[in-house]
Amino acid sequence: MCPSLGPHVSVPHTPRVCLSTCEWPEAEKAEKLARGAALKWASAVFYCPDKLEGLGHYRSREAQRTSSIQSRLKSTVQSHLEGVSSGLEQLSSAAGDVRSVRRDLCAVRWHLLGSAEGFQGLAPLRAVVTEHRQLAAVVRALPQLSSVHELLAQSLRLLRGQQLLEAHAGLMALERLRDDISSQLHCGSSLPTDQALGVVESFFGGLQELSDALAQQLWHVVAGGVRLVQEDPALFVSAVRIIEREESADDALLLGPPWRQRFYQVMQETIAAAHFKAAHVDVKGPGLGQHLAALQSDIPAELRVVKDLMVQCCPPHYDILSICTRMYHQGLSDHLQDILSRDLDKQEIFMLLSWVLHVYHSPEMMGHPDLLPEVDVSTLGPLVSPEVVEQLERKYVGKVKVSDVTEWMRRTLEVEFKEWFREEEPEMDHLGFFQSALPVIVMQVGRAGGWGQRRAGDWQCPVRGQRRAGDWQYTPVSQSHHQCHSLWGQMVMKTNFLLAESEHLVMNHYVRALMEKKMVCRSAEERSQLSTQLLQDASQLRELFHSLGLAESEQTLEVIVALQELIRLQDPALLSLEVLGFMTKYPDISDEHVSILLDLRGDVSKEVRNVVLEMMAQNPQSLPENYQPIFSNILVPAPELPFCLRKAKCA
């Protein structure tokens, strides 16, 4: 019996569901779910026969429920329909109002177009109203304007009395008053009238004069800051506080901070004007030395004042000590560049180089204990660039080479020439030989240049004199060492070109002096002593030039070592082989040079001499390319005439 209940429940709703599902797929799904739920419920309730007794009750309840739902739906639809009707009526009324307003606006527009010419006639009245408003503002400010002249006069008196803070306060008060009145004049109008501006200008005409005078006094105080912090620090502090006030006002107006930059600029200009105006510096003669001495004294003294006093008068963010140190360093660097651009002589160049490289960083100047460690110029870069220093060294060397050596040799030879060609006979030594002052002059110049400190008696090799048989003289070969050093002392400078020339000149003079001494060693012991001394001299000279920057591979002093080997050789029979090797290395040596060296040994027989000279004749040597002459520049001394008497002129 339960299945027969299905059509009674579902059939009445079928047409409505089909209509809704055609338009709303979601409704179809919901309808199916509802049908399924209803069938499930009905199957569960009426499955048993004993439940069929309540079928009428269930049918009546469902009918009431369906009727209630339909009533609510009808009521809801009716209220919506009434709302729609009311809305349509309101829209119709609003459309009518819009049409009415539109008609009224068109009428107003036509009336305004017709009255435009009448409104233009009101422009003079508008101008009169604006002027009246501005003049009324001026009248309201008259009590304040009446005190402007008195405030200006008072501020000028304070300024003349160097009361900078009070004068600046008066200036700022006057500026605020002017700005307030100007803002009132601009109120209600973009441009004040000429009459109103004239009234204000007549009262504040002296304000610019006060501002200019205060600025001039302010920067004058800043320029004398180093002096004032010692004499009147309060005045300098007042100037700094005014600068701080102005910077605060500029910050409030979002302006840049030019006041502190102007403060630094004035200090830098003052330092440059006091110390670094090269146009007013005499760099010729003693003037340069005096100027450098003044800088050496003044700059550390002023930096000590900045470090000890001015730092306490300035805010920490001014970093005044570091800024001043940089100003002095950069100003001095630019000043030296200006001086170096001039045509300086060798003494002036040497003075500048010595001052820059040795004095500036020394404890006597920027490295003074009173300045350390706060002042450290090593972080600011070199005072003069290494390139400029090297250029100055080359310039100095060139001037020394061209000037000093040439002039000294010329004068010395002139004096010597006059001495030997005068009417009187030359001076004689205690042995009756003619003597010259030239060696003494050379020795003195050498000692004055700090060279040739070893005395002539430091070592002596006994030799047999050729001018008087049987006489024994103790003449040091190292005396030529002093002569060459005296020449070198005039030219020394660390450049490889001059060092090479000087080294070659030293070697040339040394070998020439060795051959001109006409020494004769009497024994193997004396030959050993002479060879040892030659080795010592060669070693000292090589170390000297090497310490000055000349590599040993570029030196020619090796010829002294080769000469001592010829003298040290114990077996004279091997001299031909030794001389052949020497000729291969130094092809410009002549038989005259070799003869002098053989004479110097003192143990070479006539037969050995002939063998050596014949070997040289059979093995001529050609000079290779780029060979630096050594013996070709050494003239062999001419033999003395045997008939020259001791105290008379030659016949």
Side-chain angles (χ1 to χ4, degrees), residues 121-141:
L122 297 177
L125 179 61
R126 186 183 301 109
V128 171
V129 172
T130 302
E131 184 177 2
H132 175 74
R133 187 183 299 112
Q134 293 174 354
L135 291 176
V138 173
V139 171
R140 288 193 300 270

Side-chain angles (χ1 to χ4, degrees), residues 101-305:
V101 170
R102 184 177 181 183
R103 286 192 299 270
D104 293 341
L105 288 176
C106 289
V108 170
R109 180 172 178 272
W110 285 108
H111 284 298
L112 288 175
L113 291 175
S115 304
E117 296 180 358
F119 287 127
Q120 292 178 357
L122 297 177
L125 179 61
R126 186 183 301 109
V128 171
V129 172
T130 302
E131 184 177 2
H132 175 74
R133 187 183 299 112
Q134 293 174 354
L135 291 176
V138 173
V139 171
R140 288 193 300 270
L142 280 177
Q144 296 174 312
L145 290 174
S146 61
S147 63
V148 169
H149 292 294
E150 183 181 354
L151 289 175
L152 282 172
Q154 182 181 0
S155 299
L156 286 172
R157 287 194 301 271
L158 292 172
L159 183 59
R160 296 188 186 99
Q162 291 190 338
Q163 295 177 300
L164 300 184
L165 280 176
E166 293 80 2
H168 184 256
L171 175 63
M172 295 184 71
L174 288 169
E175 289 178 342
R176 284 194 298 269
L177 178 58
R178 181 195 58 188
D179 295 340
D180 291 341
I181 295 176
S182 298
S183 64
Q184 294 178 18
L185 292 178
H186 283 85
C187 182
S189 174
S190 60
L191 185 64
T193 62
D194 294 339
Q195 185 178 2
L197 288 176
V199 173
V200 176
E201 188 65 26
S202 64
F203 282 94
F204 291 96
L207 189 59
Q208 187 61 41
E209 179 184 355
L210 175 62
S211 178
D212 294 341
L214 180 59
Q216 183 179 2
Q217 184 71 10
L218 175 68
W219 301 127
H220 179 73
V221 170
V222 172
V226 176
R227 174 182 56 82
L228 287 176
V229 294
Q230 304 175 75
E231 301 175 358
D232 188 5
L235 184 59
F236 182 78
V237 172
S238 298
V240 175
R241 291 182 62 185
I242 290 174
I243 293 173
E244 288 291 290
R245 284 180 181 176
E246 292 291 343
E247 280 197 334
S248 299
D250 289 347
D251 291 341
L253 297 175
L254 301 178
L255 300 177
W259 285 90
R260 199 186 315 167
Q261 280 74 5
R262 177 58 179 163
F263 173 83
Y264 294 145
Q265 181 182 356
V266 170
M267 293 198 66
Q268 186 172 9
E269 292 173 354
T270 303
I271 292 172
H275 304 292
F276 306 138
K277 290 298 182 182
H280 306 292
V281 176
D282 181 15
V283 296
K284 290 299 180 183
L288 179 60
Q290 296 172 0
H291 179 58
L292 294 177
L295 292 176
Q296 180 181 348
S297 173
D298 294 344
I299 293 178
E302 294 182 5
L303 281 177
R304 283 196 293 269
V305 173

Side-chain angles (χ1 to χ4, degrees), residues 27 34 84 146 152 185 221 309 418 423 491 526 610 616:
V84 170
S146 61
L152 282 172
L185 292 178
V221 170
L309 299 177
K418 292 178 181 179
E423 293 292 336
M491 300 185 298
E526 292 179 359
N610 291 334
M616 293 182 64

Side-chain angles (χ1 to χ4, degrees), residues 485-551:
H485 273 352
S486 67
L487 296 176
W488 163 245
Q490 300 296 317
M491 300 185 298
V492 63
M493 184 57 65
K494 290 196 306 181
T495 55
N496 287 332
F497 175 75
L498 181 59
L499 283 174
E501 285 193 352
S502 302
E503 187 270 345
H504 185 72
L505 181 63
V506 168
M507 179 277 302
N508 190 285
H509 279 263
Y510 192 99
V511 176
R512 179 179 300 172
L514 178 66
M515 293 188 172
E516 289 179 352
K517 291 302 178 182
K518 299 182 179 179
M519 297 181 296
V520 177
C521 297
R522 298 175 301 178
S523 62
E525 182 180 359
E526 292 179 359
R527 287 190 292 274
S528 177
Q529 292 178 2
L530 178 58
S531 300
T532 301
Q533 188 59 52
L534 292 176
L535 277 177
Q536 291 179 359
D537 288 346
S539 177
Q540 291 179 2
L541 289 172
R542 281 191 295 190
E543 291 178 0
L544 169 65
F545 285 99
H546 185 268
S547 66
L548 294 176
L550 186 64

